[in-house]
């Protein structure tokens, strides 16, 4: 049994992570944050020509070696007729919760973000006030409350928003380390989407079974599992691998 568990651990966690680390080492990466490209990735139309209310959640690989296994995520909203987007995310320096800290669809350490959630029109207009309330209710918004691992961090913040507004109906990438961190430490209950069940030990170990989240096994913040709703594998390092 011990041997089988070790083989399973190697196949599900170590092998994917090692292979992604090898691939990542060949990518052109910014040497530091000063020389990284933080400009818009042109994923959103100019707010002035987008009349509808919109909600977006983005996630992008973090910088340098940490990009091997982690994403940074954030939330963007725009009321109907507004001339600018409003971006909410959490960072690891100063006061954690930032508003319009970067471009709404900006690169993160030069890495182009991926779209996690998009809602437009009346549905977005109905959700935006609740998203703003969720941002205000985030418990770890004071100086010094950020912890890159296991949390609370940027992904813990966005997961809080998704949990407070489950109608958004999407899950963060499996590489959003910190998404499973819970302020209660020991947690057993519904998943953030309210479509399944989750058990977590300080975000360091746990299991998730949900329609939106899929099947996930969390070990030290690394996640392996299966996406059921949109069939795909979830692998440490690589993230979601599917169509």
């Amino acid at each position: 049994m011990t041997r089988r568990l070790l083989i399973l651990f190697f196949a599900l966690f170590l092998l994917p992570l090692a292979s992604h680390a090898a691939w990542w080492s060949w990518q052109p990466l910014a040497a530091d944050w000063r020389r990284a490209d933080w400009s818009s990735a042109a994923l959103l139309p100019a707010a002035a020509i987008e009349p509808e209310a919109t909600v977006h959640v983005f996630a992008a690989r973090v910088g340098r070696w940490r990009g091997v296994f982690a994403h940074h995520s954030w939330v963007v909203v725009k009321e109907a007729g507004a001339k600018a987007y409003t971006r909410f995310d959490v960072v690891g320096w100063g006061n954690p919760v930032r508003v319009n800290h970067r471009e709404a669809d900006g690169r993160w350490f030069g890495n182009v973000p991926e779209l996690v959630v998009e809602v437009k029109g009346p549905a977005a207009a109905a959700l935006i006030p609740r998203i703003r309330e969720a941002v205000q209710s985030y418990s770890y918004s004071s100086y010094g409350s950020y912890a890159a691992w296991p949390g609370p961090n940027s992904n813990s913040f966005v997961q809080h928003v998704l949990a407070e507004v489950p109608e958004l109906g999407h899950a963060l990438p499996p590489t959003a380390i910190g998404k499973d961190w819970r302020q209660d430490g020991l947690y057993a209950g519904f998943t953030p989407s309210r479509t399944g069940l989750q058990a977590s030990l300080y975000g360091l170990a746990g299991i998730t079974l949900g329609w939106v989240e899929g099947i996930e096994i969390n070990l030290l913040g690394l996640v392996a599992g299966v996406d059921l709703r949109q069939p795909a594998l979830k692998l440490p390092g690589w993230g979601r691998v599917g169509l």
Side-chain angles (χ1 to χ4, degrees):
M1 179 63 70
T2 300
R3 182 184 177 190
R4 290 177 179 176
L5 289 175
L6 289 174
I7 292 173
L8 186 64
F9 172 71
F10 178 81
L12 291 181
F13 290 91
L14 294 187
L15 183 59
L17 189 62
S19 62
H20 189 263
W23 178 84
W24 187 254
S25 68
W26 287 94
Q27 305 310 303
L29 304 174
D32 56 50
W33 68 270
R34 294 180 183 84
R35 285 176 279 183
D37 181 3
W38 301 91
S39 65
S40 169
L43 300 178
L44 295 175
I49 63 172
E50 174 60 270
E52 293 185 302
T54 62
V55 173
H56 294 86
V57 176
F58 291 107
R61 289 279 175 176
V62 298
R64 302 177 67 185
W65 59 270
R66 292 174 297 174
V68 169
F69 50 81
H71 274 78
H72 168 82
S73 59
W74 64 93
V75 180
V76 177
V77 303
K78 187 188 77 67
E79 285 80 2
K83 302 302 181 185
Y85 294 98
T86 303
R87 169 174 168 165
F88 302 105
D89 55 348
V90 159
V91 297
W93 55 92
N95 291 323
V97 179
R98 301 294 179 92
V99 179
N100 296 328
H101 173 62
R102 300 285 184 188
E103 295 284 346
D105 57 356
R107 295 170 175 83
W108 190 258
F109 275 92
N111 300 312
V112 175
E114 62 183 76
L115 180 64
V116 178
V117 178
E118 180 179 67
V119 184
K120 292 186 174 183
L127 296 179
I128 288 174
R130 294 174 57 197
I131 291 172
R132 291 185 176 275
E133 289 177 4
V135 172
Q136 292 296 320
S137 67
Y138 182 61
S139 300
Y140 299 91
S141 58
S142 59
Y143 181 85
S145 60
Y146 177 96
W149 181 85
N153 58 23
S154 63
N155 300 314
S156 310
F157 165 72
V158 175
Q159 188 78 300
H160 167 76
V161 174
L162 293 176
E164 292 296 305
V165 191
E167 292 84 354
L168 289 168
H170 285 75
L172 286 173
T175 43
I177 290 178
K179 69 183 181 66
D180 294 325
W181 186 87
R182 297 282 187 156
Q183 66 183 53
D184 296 329
L186 297 170
Y187 174 81
F190 288 113
T191 60
S193 69
R194 309 293 195 272
T195 63
L197 299 174
Q198 182 181 54
S200 177
L201 176 65
Y202 294 92
L204 296 172
I207 186 168
T208 300
L209 303 170
W211 177 240
V212 170
E213 291 82 3
I215 301 172
E216 294 185 350
I217 299 172
N218 172 13
L219 184 61
L220 300 179
L222 300 175
V223 168
V226 179
D227 187 337
L228 300 172
R229 187 170 61 162
Q230 297 176 314
L233 294 176
K234 297 184 176 187
L235 299 174
W238 293 103
R240 186 182 179 279
V241 180
L243 298 177

